[in-house]
Amino acid sequence: MKEFKISTKLINMYKRCVQKTRSAVRIEGILSSFFENKTGLKQGDPFSPIIFNLALQKVIQSIKMFPSGIKIGKEQLNILAYADDIAFFGKNEIEIRKLFVEMENIARNFGPQINQEKTKYMIGERKNSLKKNKIGHLKIKNLKEWKILNI
């Protein structure tokens, strides 16, 4: 949070909201005993999307520093993100694999986890040279066509 120049006062306020929190569960009208929340944010916590966005922004910034991608005008582009969707761009399969492995390594330090069920790839060349549908430890699906905004 300090990297994003968030004030110490706000960081401390956030810490007080998430540290040593307790919850109980109500099942059929009966309230369980309270237990301490050990990890993560509570469901519906207003901090959740903010913290997720900060973690994802750190991953994206790190990937942008990785030497790869395609040139568009004067810009080198290797990643685009919207909400929790990420698209990698590379000149070939090797670049895409390297970006994906780099993202896994970076994300491991910050918390976001890659959902294997939602992970897909598409090679934008005449032949699909990807021999294995696996990058790192994740098995991924090959797309023949790409829908953007369900168009």
Side-chain angles (χ1 to χ4, degrees):
M1 290 178 135
K2 286 182 182 179
E3 289 182 44
F4 293 104
K5 296 184 171 79
I6 294 173
S7 74
T8 304
K9 185 177 179 178
L10 282 176
I11 294 171
N12 290 336
M13 187 176 8
Y14 163 74
K15 285 179 180 179
R16 281 192 297 274
C17 288
V18 297
Q19 290 177 341
K20 297 185 180 179
T21 58
R22 297 169 33 101
S23 298
V25 179
R26 186 180 310 272
I27 301 173
E28 296 181 5
I30 301 171
L31 191 64
S32 73
S33 56
F34 280 84
F35 56 91
E36 186 176 335
N37 299 323
K38 302 266 184 205
T39 61
L41 297 169
K42 296 181 289 276
Q43 187 173 357
D45 190 315
F47 279 121
S48 186
I50 295 166
I51 299 304
F52 176 81
N53 284 338
L54 289 174
L56 187 60
Q57 184 62 31
K58 182 64 179 164
V59 171
I60 291 167
Q61 285 176 345
S62 298
I63 291 293
K64 282 182 175 181
M65 302 302 288
F66 201 76
S68 65
I70 58 175
K71 193 147 180 111
I72 299 178
K74 294 179 182 178
E75 296 294 319
Q76 191 75 16
L77 178 69
N78 66 358
I79 187 170
L80 285 177
Y82 179 78
D84 63 347
D85 293 329
I86 294 175
F88 290 132
F89 298 90
K91 293 181 195 85
N92 53 45
E93 174 195 339
I94 293 166
E95 274 194 9
I96 299 296
R97 284 183 179 276
K98 286 180 179 177
L99 284 170
F100 191 87
V101 168
E102 183 70 14
M103 183 187 68
E104 274 190 309
N105 292 335
I106 295 165
R108 199 172 295 122
N109 294 326
F110 296 102
Q113 294 181 349
I114 299 164
N115 184 334
Q116 180 172 328
E117 295 299 314
K118 293 182 177 181
T119 302
K120 298 169 182 63
Y121 73 93
M122 187 170 110
I123 304 292
E125 56 186 32
R126 295 190 195 283
K127 64 176 187 151
N128 184 354
S129 60
L130 188 60
K131 304 292 187 270
K132 303 176 212 164
N133 290 356
K134 192 171 183 183
I135 298 179
H137 69 282
L138 295 177
K139 290 183 181 177
I140 56 176
K141 297 175 188 168
N142 181 9
L143 296 176
K144 301 295 181 202
E145 61 183 6
W146 197 281
K147 277 189 176 182
I148 298 175
L149 299 175
N150 288 324
I151 296 174

